[in-house]
Amino acid sequence: MITSKLKCLLNNIVQFSEDEYGLIEPYFEHVTLKKNQVLLEEGQPCTSIFLVESGVLRNYYNNDGLDVNLSFTFENQFVTNFEAYINREPSKIIIQAIEKSEVWIIKSREFSKEKGSFANLSTLIRRIAIRVLLATEEHHNMMMINSPADRYRYLLEKKPGLIQRISLTHLASYIGITRETLSRIRSNKY
Amino acid sequence: MITSKLKCLLNNIVQFSEDEYGLIEPYFEHVTLKKNQVLLEEGQPCTSIFLVESGVLRNYYNNDGLDVNLSFTFENQFVTNFEAYINREPSKIIIQAIEKSEVWIIKSREFSKEKGSFANLSTLIRRIAIRVLLATEEHHNMMMINSPADRYRYLLEKKPGLIQRISLTHLASYIGITRETLSRIRSNKY
DNA sequence: TTGTTTTTTTGATATTTATCACACTACCGG
DNA sequence: CCGGTAGTGTGATAAATATCAAAAAAACAA
């Protein structure tokens, strides 16, 4: 069921009519995730885009038993694994709730045939794709900052919410350093 | 003038009719760049997508006088600065030819009004955007590999063409290390 | 060719970061 | 309130990487 809250979120991106909401409704599913529950598993196909209504998702992959965090998705943000989504490959990445989260699953792969006859839906997916792209690019540019301490300071300035809500351990992997080093950066040892 | 070579490149992405080529022709411009010539300058708006017909482009930004290389674009590949393109901001990045290059400038921002009435064009731009996105994501994932030596080995295996055609200095900045360190990695000092 | 410039390599040293081991703290359920 | 567990901080040491300086090699132009 498409709630008024969801409509409000979507209307920020594309204006839908009530008739259109009726048409797209079957492709929206609402789920509640417990802390640490996995939304997209490694090896699974990725046919959906996820929209976080509340809570936080962690987007990571596992490298020899070691987690590498790629992104965190907060309220009103979208996430998916584009590589798996576009190329119809099994996902190499894992998406997990790190707090209790309310998430909308947009099963956009399923209505791809209908998109041609439904311009607004096509526009919605395209705009979401661009948002996800820009978020990836931003993290990418952050990672190109040579010193880890500078990367942390960049986040402090540009993404204070991230620093507040994400644990030191997760943040360290996101910045590309060890827990210990981030702990020392934080206490101004460097 | 839309050449048969360009048609061949575009047909890999979307099938256009001869009539359609007539319509989109005004938005395609062919340029020849000398070595080191700049295609997109810092601070300029970015209203085009670039398609490399021959040669190589370097996509980088300048950080306190130091170049940070973000990507290299080879034959048949597309590049643009999405952040500037989408948000209509001045570009923070610079695109430069590092060899003599033949490039198509696709002035896609200019025909955005016509896109609605021209589904194929819309599809072309969307598919190009996805290609650029996936390339960015791939570099991003490469950068998350912790050790620079492993990043180099990854490129050796997955992108041998890159290693062959890009100078050590440019590669080092792309991998995120100094020239000297890359030189030593290459001669197996580590 | 020759000289000039750019790029790459090498060495010595300083700095940064990882690793390992363990102490400390905060939080949660019984 | 207690005890367990997950998360964070600290110290000592090893490893990786940057920095600086200079030589060697390669590319380029006259």
Side-chain angles (χ1 to χ4, degrees):
Chain A
M1 227 266 299
I2 294 190
T3 62
S4 60
K5 195 166 176 183
L6 174 59
K7 284 181 188 173
C8 180
L9 290 178
L10 295 181
N11 275 332
N12 287 328
I13 303 171
V14 177
Q15 297 282 339
F16 287 100
S17 69
E18 280 305 315
D19 284 354
E20 286 174 320
Y21 277 123
L23 284 170
I24 66 179
E25 175 153 1
Y27 303 108
F28 283 75
E29 187 187 332
H30 185 265
V31 293
T32 302
L33 301 169
K34 281 177 286 193
K35 182 176 174 172
N36 293 332
Q37 196 174 340
V38 170
L39 182 58
L40 175 67
E41 293 190 42
E42 192 178 346
Q44 256 189 334
C46 177
T47 57
S48 304
I49 295 168
F50 307 105
L51 166 59
V52 177
E53 192 178 289
S54 69
V56 191
L57 302 181
R58 173 169 79 111
N59 178 346
Y60 69 101
Y61 67 87
N62 192 286
N63 189 285
D64 292 334
L66 210 81
D67 286 357
V68 178
N69 293 324
L70 296 172
S71 69
F72 303 97
T73 312
F74 294 91
E75 284 86 358
N76 306 346
Q77 294 180 340
F78 298 88
V79 68
T80 189
N81 176 11
F82 258 105
E83 205 177 335
Y85 183 93
I86 299 292
N87 301 330
R88 298 169 189 270
E89 295 167 356
S91 177
K92 276 171 259 174
I93 71 126
I94 301 157
I95 300 178
Q96 179 201 41
I98 55 178
E99 300 175 2
K100 178 174 183 297
S101 303
E102 307 277 332
V103 173
W104 285 98
I105 302 175
I106 309 175
K107 300 180 232 168
S108 48
R109 261 286 183 225
E110 293 183 18
F111 56 58
S112 55
K113 279 111 198 166
E114 302 178 34
K115 274 197 299 188
S117 58
F118 194 173
N120 267 357
L121 205 49
S122 179
T123 303
L124 176 73
I125 302 303
R126 192 166 60 246
R127 292 193 178 161
I128 291 175
I130 287 166
R131 286 184 180 218
V132 175
L133 153 69
L134 290 181
T136 302
E137 205 164 72
E138 198 176 357
H139 182 221
H140 178 236
N141 291 342
M142 188 270 291
M143 287 302 289
M144 295 303 285
I145 299 170
N146 32 6
S147 123
D150 283 345
R151 296 205 282 275
Y152 179 73
R153 281 187 282 269
Y154 172 89
L155 290 182
L156 257 183
E157 190 190 334
K158 305 273 185 177
K159 308 276 169 190
L162 208 97
I163 309 271
Q164 283 158 29
R165 290 183 65 180
I166 305 298
S167 74
L168 177 139
T169 304
H170 283 333
L171 255 185
S173 149
Y174 180 71
I175 295 178
I177 51 176
T178 59
R179 294 193 302 275
E180 294 93 330
T181 301
L182 181 53
S183 173
R184 287 186 244 258
I185 286 172
R186 209 155 71 165
S187 58
N188 267 310
K189 296 278 165 54
Y190 297 138
Chain B
M1 228 267 299
I2 293 189
T3 62
S4 59
K5 195 166 176 182
L6 175 59
K7 285 181 188 174
C8 180
L9 290 178
L10 295 182
N11 275 333
N12 287 328
I13 303 170
V14 178
Q15 298 282 338
F16 286 100
S17 69
E18 280 306 315
D19 283 354
E20 286 174 320
Y21 277 124
L23 284 172
I24 65 178
E25 176 154 0
Y27 303 107
F28 283 75
E29 186 186 333
H30 185 267
V31 292
T32 302
L33 300 169
K34 283 177 284 191
K35 181 174 175 172
N36 293 332
Q37 196 175 340
V38 171
L39 182 57
L40 176 66
E41 293 189 42
E42 193 178 346
Q44 258 189 335
C46 176
T47 57
S48 305
I49 295 168
F50 306 105
L51 166 58
V52 177
E53 192 178 290
S54 69
V56 190
L57 301 181
R58 172 169 80 110
N59 178 346
Y60 69 101
Y61 67 87
N62 192 286
N63 190 288
D64 293 335
L66 211 81
D67 287 357
V68 179
N69 293 324
L70 295 173
S71 70
F72 303 97
T73 312
F74 295 91
E75 284 86 358
N76 307 347
Q77 294 180 339
F78 297 88
V79 68
T80 189
N81 176 10
F82 258 105
E83 206 178 335
Y85 183 93
I86 299 293
N87 301 331
R88 298 171 190 268
E89 295 168 355
S91 176
K92 275 172 259 175
I93 71 125
I94 301 158
I95 300 179
Q96 177 200 43
I98 55 178
E99 300 176 2
K100 179 174 181 296
S101 304
E102 306 277 332
V103 173
W104 285 98
I105 302 175
I106 309 175
K107 298 181 234 170
S108 49
R109 261 287 182 225
E110 294 185 18
F111 57 58
S112 56
K113 280 113 200 164
E114 303 178 33
K115 274 197 299 190
S117 56
F118 194 173
N120 267 356
L121 205 49
S122 180
T123 303
L124 177 73
I125 302 303
R126 192 166 60 246
R127 292 193 177 161
I128 291 175
I130 287 165
R131 287 185 179 217
V132 175
L133 153 70
L134 290 180
T136 303
E137 204 164 73
E138 197 176 357
H139 182 218
H140 179 237
N141 291 343
M142 188 269 290
M143 286 303 290
M144 295 303 286
I145 300 170
N146 32 8
S147 121
D150 284 343
R151 295 206 283 274
Y152 180 73
R153 281 187 280 270
Y154 171 90
L155 289 182
L156 256 183
E157 191 190 332
K158 305 273 183 176
K159 306 276 167 190
L162 209 97
I163 309 271
Q164 282 156 30
R165 288 183 65 181
I166 304 297
S167 75
L168 176 139
T169 304
H170 283 334
L171 256 185
S173 150
Y174 181 71
I175 294 176
I177 51 176
T178 59
R179 295 192 299 274
E180 294 93 331
T181 301
L182 182 53
S183 173
R184 288 186 244 258
I185 286 173
R186 207 156 72 166
S187 59
N188 267 309
K189 298 276 164 57
Y190 296 139

Tab-separated table of all heavy atoms in Angstrom, chain B residues 31-42 44 50 57-58 60 93-98 105:
chain	number	residue	atom	x	y	z
B	31	VAL	N	35.842	16.867	-32.923
B	31	VAL	CA	37.036	17.703	-32.735
B	31	VAL	C	38.290	16.832	-32.704
B	31	VAL	O	38.238	15.661	-32.329
B	31	VAL	CB	36.985	18.526	-31.418
B	31	VAL	CG1	35.908	19.581	-31.480
B	31	VAL	CG2	36.807	17.623	-30.217
B	32	THR	N	39.399	17.423	-33.111
B	32	THR	CA	40.705	16.765	-33.038
B	32	THR	C	41.540	17.503	-32.002
B	32	THR	O	41.686	18.717	-32.087
B	32	THR	CB	41.411	16.816	-34.402
B	32	THR	OG1	40.581	16.187	-35.375
B	32	THR	CG2	42.740	16.098	-34.339
B	33	LEU	N	42.006	16.765	-31.005
B	33	LEU	CA	42.764	17.386	-29.924
B	33	LEU	C	44.225	16.991	-30.017
B	33	LEU	O	44.551	15.818	-30.232
B	33	LEU	CB	42.222	16.921	-28.568
B	33	LEU	CG	40.763	17.220	-28.267
B	33	LEU	CD1	40.314	16.464	-27.026
B	33	LEU	CD2	40.531	18.702	-28.082
B	34	LYS	N	45.096	17.986	-29.841
B	34	LYS	CA	46.518	17.696	-29.771
B	34	LYS	C	46.854	17.131	-28.397
B	34	LYS	O	46.085	17.289	-27.452
B	34	LYS	CB	47.326	18.980	-29.998
B	34	LYS	CG	47.396	19.386	-31.466
B	34	LYS	CD	48.143	20.685	-31.642
B	34	LYS	CE	47.274	21.874	-31.223
B	34	LYS	NZ	47.847	23.184	-31.612
B	35	LYS	N	48.001	16.522	-28.300
B	35	LYS	CA	48.466	16.008	-27.008
B	35	LYS	C	48.455	17.144	-25.979
B	35	LYS	O	48.914	18.246	-26.287
B	35	LYS	CB	49.876	15.437	-27.159
B	35	LYS	CG	50.432	14.851	-25.876
B	35	LYS	CD	51.765	14.177	-26.075
B	35	LYS	CE	52.315	13.738	-24.719
B	35	LYS	NZ	53.518	12.920	-24.834
B	36	ASN	N	47.954	16.851	-24.798
B	36	ASN	CA	47.879	17.804	-23.682
B	36	ASN	C	46.822	18.896	-23.828
B	36	ASN	O	46.681	19.729	-22.936
B	36	ASN	CB	49.238	18.463	-23.413
B	36	ASN	CG	50.239	17.455	-22.894
B	36	ASN	OD1	49.869	16.460	-22.270
B	36	ASN	ND2	51.512	17.692	-23.158
B	37	GLN	N	46.079	18.887	-24.938
B	37	GLN	CA	45.042	19.902	-25.105
B	37	GLN	C	43.872	19.613	-24.168
B	37	GLN	O	43.502	18.450	-23.942
B	37	GLN	CB	44.577	19.912	-26.566
B	37	GLN	CG	43.791	21.170	-26.928
B	37	GLN	CD	43.443	21.215	-28.412
B	37	GLN	OE1	44.068	20.541	-29.227
B	37	GLN	NE2	42.433	22.009	-28.756
B	38	VAL	N	43.302	20.683	-23.614
B	38	VAL	CA	42.211	20.535	-22.644
B	38	VAL	C	40.859	20.587	-23.345
B	38	VAL	O	40.614	21.447	-24.190
B	38	VAL	CB	42.310	21.624	-21.562
B	38	VAL	CG1	41.071	21.636	-20.683
B	38	VAL	CG2	43.550	21.404	-20.699
B	39	LEU	N	39.985	19.659	-22.983
B	39	LEU	CA	38.655	19.571	-23.585
B	39	LEU	C	37.622	20.239	-22.694
B	39	LEU	O	36.770	20.989	-23.152
B	39	LEU	CB	38.308	18.094	-23.791
B	39	LEU	CG	36.994	17.729	-24.453
B	39	LEU	CD1	36.868	18.370	-25.827
B	39	LEU	CD2	36.892	16.213	-24.569
B	40	LEU	N	37.691	19.953	-21.392
B	40	LEU	CA	36.786	20.602	-20.431
B	40	LEU	C	37.639	21.268	-19.363
B	40	LEU	O	38.417	20.612	-18.675
B	40	LEU	CB	35.859	19.569	-19.779
B	40	LEU	CG	34.938	20.113	-18.678
B	40	LEU	CD1	33.913	21.090	-19.225
B	40	LEU	CD2	34.230	18.968	-17.948
B	41	GLU	N	37.495	22.589	-19.244
B	41	GLU	CA	38.313	23.312	-18.281
B	41	GLU	C	37.638	23.404	-16.921
B	41	GLU	O	36.410	23.337	-16.824
B	41	GLU	CB	38.599	24.725	-18.805
B	41	GLU	CG	39.493	24.709	-20.037
B	41	GLU	CD	39.954	26.102	-20.434
B	41	GLU	OE1	40.311	26.897	-19.535
B	41	GLU	OE2	39.960	26.392	-21.645
B	42	GLU	N	38.452	23.577	-15.907
B	42	GLU	CA	37.946	23.778	-14.556
B	42	GLU	C	37.116	25.059	-14.525
B	42	GLU	O	37.500	26.067	-15.102
B	42	GLU	CB	39.129	23.900	-13.583
B	42	GLU	CG	38.728	23.798	-12.140
B	42	GLU	CD	39.927	23.886	-11.204
B	42	GLU	OE1	41.065	23.762	-11.677
B	42	GLU	OE2	39.700	24.093	-9.999
B	44	GLN	N	34.322	25.612	-15.965
B	44	GLN	CA	33.388	25.682	-17.096
B	44	GLN	C	32.118	24.904	-16.790
B	44	GLN	O	32.178	23.917	-16.059
B	44	GLN	CB	34.028	25.011	-18.319
B	44	GLN	CG	34.598	25.929	-19.356
B	44	GLN	CD	34.995	25.143	-20.604
B	44	GLN	OE1	35.277	23.941	-20.536
B	44	GLN	NE2	35.013	25.819	-21.732
B	50	PHE	N	31.265	13.298	-23.852
B	50	PHE	CA	32.332	13.138	-24.829
B	50	PHE	C	32.508	11.663	-25.177
B	50	PHE	O	32.482	10.799	-24.295
B	50	PHE	CB	33.636	13.717	-24.279
B	50	PHE	CG	33.494	15.146	-23.826
B	50	PHE	CD1	33.439	15.460	-22.467
B	50	PHE	CD2	33.372	16.178	-24.746
B	50	PHE	CE1	33.279	16.772	-22.036
B	50	PHE	CE2	33.211	17.488	-24.327
B	50	PHE	CZ	33.161	17.791	-22.974
B	57	LEU	N	41.692	10.210	-23.153
B	57	LEU	CA	41.441	11.405	-22.346
B	57	LEU	C	41.762	11.111	-20.889
B	57	LEU	O	41.614	9.982	-20.422
B	57	LEU	CB	39.974	11.838	-22.448
B	57	LEU	CG	39.435	12.174	-23.838
B	57	LEU	CD1	37.984	12.614	-23.744
B	57	LEU	CD2	40.286	13.248	-24.510
B	58	ARG	N	42.201	12.149	-20.191
B	58	ARG	CA	42.472	12.047	-18.759
B	58	ARG	C	41.480	12.933	-18.036
B	58	ARG	O	41.277	14.087	-18.418
B	58	ARG	CB	43.900	12.509	-18.482
B	58	ARG	CG	44.255	12.631	-17.014
B	58	ARG	CD	45.740	12.821	-16.836
B	58	ARG	NE	46.187	14.177	-17.053
B	58	ARG	CZ	46.632	14.996	-16.078
B	58	ARG	NH1	46.685	14.551	-14.835
B	58	ARG	NH2	47.036	16.206	-16.346
B	60	TYR	N	40.676	14.513	-14.463
B	60	TYR	CA	41.361	14.741	-13.186
B	60	TYR	C	40.938	16.054	-12.552
B	60	TYR	O	40.276	16.869	-13.181
B	60	TYR	CB	42.879	14.745	-13.396
B	60	TYR	CG	43.427	15.932	-14.172
B	60	TYR	CD1	44.033	17.004	-13.520
B	60	TYR	CD2	43.318	15.974	-15.561
B	60	TYR	CE1	44.527	18.083	-14.235
B	60	TYR	CE2	43.803	17.053	-16.280
B	60	TYR	CZ	44.410	18.103	-15.612
B	60	TYR	OH	44.888	19.172	-16.318
B	93	ILE	N	36.305	19.332	-12.317
B	93	ILE	CA	37.297	18.461	-12.929
B	93	ILE	C	37.705	18.962	-14.317
B	93	ILE	O	37.031	19.785	-14.928
B	93	ILE	CB	36.798	17.003	-13.006
B	93	ILE	CG1	35.688	16.872	-14.039
B	93	ILE	CG2	36.349	16.477	-11.674
B	93	ILE	CD1	36.021	15.834	-15.048
B	94	ILE	N	38.829	18.444	-14.759
B	94	ILE	CA	39.419	18.847	-16.034
B	94	ILE	C	39.521	17.596	-16.908
B	94	ILE	O	39.871	16.520	-16.404
B	94	ILE	CB	40.829	19.438	-15.797
B	94	ILE	CG1	40.748	20.650	-14.863
B	94	ILE	CG2	41.494	19.805	-17.124
B	94	ILE	CD1	42.060	20.970	-14.166
B	95	ILE	N	39.160	17.733	-18.176
B	95	ILE	CA	39.322	16.617	-19.107
B	95	ILE	C	40.315	17.052	-20.177
B	95	ILE	O	40.141	18.091	-20.812
B	95	ILE	CB	37.980	16.191	-19.740
B	95	ILE	CG1	36.998	15.762	-18.636
B	95	ILE	CG2	38.195	15.051	-20.731
B	95	ILE	CD1	35.628	15.350	-19.153
B	96	GLN	N	41.359	16.246	-20.314
B	96	GLN	CA	42.470	16.615	-21.177
B	96	GLN	C	42.877	15.416	-22.034
B	96	GLN	O	42.834	14.276	-21.571
B	96	GLN	CB	43.644	17.025	-20.264
B	96	GLN	CG	44.915	17.374	-20.984
B	96	GLN	CD	46.122	17.281	-20.081
B	96	GLN	OE1	46.257	16.338	-19.307
B	96	GLN	NE2	47.008	18.249	-20.186
B	97	ALA	N	43.291	15.685	-23.268
B	97	ALA	CA	43.814	14.614	-24.124
B	97	ALA	C	45.264	14.349	-23.737
B	97	ALA	O	46.051	15.277	-23.618
B	97	ALA	CB	43.725	15.033	-25.584
B	98	ILE	N	45.610	13.090	-23.498
B	98	ILE	CA	47.020	12.818	-23.185
B	98	ILE	C	47.747	12.224	-24.386
B	98	ILE	O	48.944	11.997	-24.335
B	98	ILE	CB	47.194	11.921	-21.934
B	98	ILE	CG1	46.429	10.608	-22.065
B	98	ILE	CG2	46.771	12.651	-20.693
B	98	ILE	CD1	46.631	9.710	-20.869
B	105	ILE	N	31.791	15.422	-29.517
B	105	ILE	CA	31.124	16.164	-28.451
B	105	ILE	C	29.623	16.006	-28.665
B	105	ILE	O	29.112	16.411	-29.711
B	105	ILE	CB	31.517	17.654	-28.478
B	105	ILE	CG1	33.038	17.796	-28.334
B	105	ILE	CG2	30.790	18.425	-27.381
B	105	ILE	CD1	33.527	19.234	-28.463
